[in-house]
Amino acid sequence: MHTSTGTVIAAGANLDFTLAQQLTVIALCALTAFISHMALAVFNDGVRPFMLDFIQGRSTRSATTAVSFGLSAGFIFGLGAPMALSTGVLNPWLVFLPTDILGILAPKKWLAPILGGAWGAIVVFGLNGANNLAHDLPVDFLTAMQQMSTPILFLFTLFPVLAITKQFGRKWGGIAGVVELALVVMTMKLWPNVFAGAIAMAVGVLMLIGLAIAKDLKQRKADRAQEMQAAEQVEGVEGVAPADDPMASLFSASAARLRRYLPLFMVLGAGVCVLAQMHIFGGGEATSFLIAKGQYGEAAQVDFYRVFGFIPLIATTALASGAYGIAGFTLVYPIGYLMPNPFLAAVVGALVFAAEVLALSYIGKVLGKLPSVRDSSEHLRSAITDTLQLAILFGSLMAANAMGAGLGILIVGGLYLLNEAMGRPVVRMAAAPAAVIVGGIALNVLYWLDLFTPLKT
């Protein structure tokens, strides 16, 4: 299938899962809710810093639940559900954010997996019914939402260029932009069946990491020269023992806490990797469309690049809070997509999670010595958000045009602008897809009132 059009989903938006897939989702939701209840891991990066107060008893379960719900609800209903319905592929916002909330909410340890499993059942059994109902409506807004794939896939390609520009200035950003554009054109010309941004993103990320490492090495060389000069000036004076670092002590305690539950984390890693291997799950917006098209290699490549933006964030918040990420460093996503069978995926996923948890302290120390690399991860995450916000907004307006022409754009764009004017009660990235669904329902109501005629497709 050619990706240049980007508007056709190969398998259709089909959410009719096999029994093995249904059981995997239900079991994994039960497990993640249990782990969230134990305050061992949560998926939402914004919730993780609040977990330390909960772990140490300074915050109640109900207060922490309120934080988790407040930071997650918009993504669940505004992004997770619309993306799953439009692509036919599950995503972490729909699967893992609710189990964060349900796990923390559950007052008893035995209740958490029951609530998580119940949510998994709603996902695998309820979504297909909603999907079929929506496709039977006069205005099929779910099919229209597949218009989002083209802007998401192509604009997402630019995130390394934005990150390089923000961190290293216009000159390097301009060079990266020209290089990526040339590679996209070359890929479309020579390999039309390959995702056009695959090679461009790889080169862009490598450029960013290379520039960051070069800057850190140059700075370390300069620091060593200063240290040697300072040592010569105070030669013969007895050194003073450094004071204990309270953060180092906290990091060590958090790492030790997570290592105590290593077998449980290995089961979690196995489960997430198996879910990815089944090709009913995508780790991100662009990945969901690629998985739906059957382009698993390209999906693995996209999610692998995202890892560089999240390792420093996940590692530092895990060490500071004592709670890890439900998907770890998210390496199990691309690995799972490429595994030939679920049994091998389970073994590899478990080993990857074990390596991540055991290496947390070391990763924290390395990141402490590479400030520019840490900054690069911040810029990568920011660039990913910027590109996806524009792509999702543009794609949502394309979907609005497909289902209702000017009236569709008026309703969807108007809802988005209203959300902005009201101070964003729905987070910006989720506002546009949510507006498409509300707009689609509104157009169907207008049709039933004989006030709107659906566009012919």
Side-chain angles (χ1 to χ4, degrees):
M1 153 168 231
H2 290 255
T3 57
S4 55
T5 58
T7 57
V8 181
I9 303 301
N14 181 18
L15 286 155
D16 189 13
F17 304 111
T18 66
L19 178 61
Q21 291 168 344
Q22 291 169 347
L23 293 176
T24 299
V25 173
I26 293 170
L28 186 57
C29 285
L31 176 63
T32 53
F34 178 74
I35 288 174
S36 172
H37 174 87
M38 299 280 287
L40 290 172
V42 289
F43 180 78
N44 194 321
D45 296 319
V47 173
R48 201 171 301 116
F50 293 91
M51 297 304 289
L52 181 63
D53 285 342
F54 177 63
I55 291 167
Q56 297 183 347
R58 294 193 296 268
S59 178
T60 64
R61 187 171 290 279
S62 59
T64 310
T65 301
V67 170
S68 182
F69 181 83
L71 292 174
S72 302
F75 287 102
I76 296 169
F77 300 108
L79 187 61
M83 288 295 294
L85 288 168
S86 61
T87 62
V89 176
L90 301 179
N91 57 69
W93 308 288
L94 184 66
V95 177
F96 298 141
L97 287 182
T99 59
D100 278 1
I101 300 167
L102 293 171
I104 299 172
L105 173 68
K108 300 293 183 181
K109 189 182 294 187
W110 58 266
L111 183 59
I114 294 176
L115 293 176
W119 174 255
I122 290 172
V123 168
V124 294
F125 296 117
L127 276 181
N128 195 41
N131 182 61
N132 293 334
L133 176 64
H135 283 304
D136 289 336
L137 293 173
V139 180
D140 185 356
F141 53 86
L142 293 186
T143 298
M145 287 184 74
Q146 294 178 11
Q147 297 282 337
M148 296 170 63
S149 67
T150 301
I152 286 177
L153 289 173
F154 278 84
L155 287 176
F156 185 75
T157 303
L158 290 174
F159 79 87
V161 176
L162 298 189
I164 289 171
T165 305
K166 289 180 179 181
Q167 187 170 5
F168 297 103
R170 298 175 185 174
K171 185 183 86 170
W172 278 112
I175 293 171
V178 171
V179 169
E180 282 212 6
L181 178 60
L183 290 171
V184 168
V185 172
M186 182 185 75
T187 304
M188 293 177 72
K189 182 68 175 176
L190 300 179
W191 306 289
N193 291 325
V194 175
F195 170 43
I199 299 174
M201 277 192 292
V203 172
V205 171
L206 288 174
M207 282 182 67
L208 177 66
I209 295 172
L211 288 168
I213 291 175
K215 183 178 180 180
D216 280 333
L217 292 177
K218 183 178 179 181
Q219 185 60 46
R220 286 184 68 183
K221 186 176 179 180
D223 290 343
R224 284 199 199 98
Q226 288 182 350
E227 288 171 2
M228 290 178 63
Q229 187 177 4
E232 291 173 358
Q233 291 175 353
V234 296
E235 189 174 358
V237 179
E238 188 175 344
V240 179
D244 291 335
D245 182 357
M247 287 304 294
S249 177
L250 174 63
F251 280 17
S252 177
S254 296
R257 176 179 187 262
L258 295 175
R259 285 197 297 270
R260 284 200 300 273
Y261 293 93
L262 186 62
L264 189 59
F265 280 115
M266 292 177 71
V267 175
L268 175 62
V272 176
C273 200
V274 167
L275 183 64
Q277 191 278 331
M278 288 180 164
H279 300 148
I280 59 168
F281 175 91
E285 300 87 348
T287 318
S288 293
F289 285 107
L290 289 169
I291 292 291
K293 293 170 183 289
Q295 297 176 323
Y296 309 129
E298 287 90 338
Q301 192 174 344
V302 168
D303 271 356
F304 179 72
Y305 301 145
R306 290 174 68 113
V307 169
F308 294 104
F310 287 89
I311 283 181
L313 173 68
I314 294 169
T316 52
T317 54
L319 289 169
S321 68
Y324 197 40
I326 285 293
F329 292 147
T330 70
L331 272 171
V332 286
Y333 292 164
I335 291 171
Y337 303 149
L338 300 177
M339 287 290 104
N341 60 70
F343 303 104
L344 184 59
V347 173
V348 174
L351 293 176
V352 168
F353 253 55
E356 289 180 6
V357 172
L358 292 174
L360 263 179
S361 293
Y362 175 75
I363 292 170
K365 291 175 183 177
V366 170
L367 290 173
K369 298 175 182 178
L370 298 171
S372 294
V373 173
R374 290 201 313 273
D375 291 344
S376 292
S377 74
E378 295 282 348
H379 289 300
L380 273 176
R381 290 199 311 279
S382 174
I384 287 171
T385 300
D386 290 344
T387 54
L388 287 175
Q389 281 179 349
L390 176 61
I392 289 172
L393 174 59
F394 188 68
S396 296
L397 291 175
M398 290 173 64
N401 182 65
M403 68 185 185
L407 182 59
I409 291 174
L410 172 65
I411 296 173
V412 173
L415 288 171
Y416 179 86
L417 292 173
L418 183 62
N419 184 68
E420 290 285 308
M422 293 172 64
R424 297 187 201 129
V426 179
V427 290
R428 180 178 281 170
M429 192 176 291
V436 173
I437 290 183
V438 174
I441 294 171
L443 289 173
N444 278 291
V445 171
L446 290 174
Y447 167 79
W448 289 322
L449 295 174
D450 200 23
L451 295 172
F452 171 73
T453 301
L455 299 178
K456 292 183 178 180
T457 57

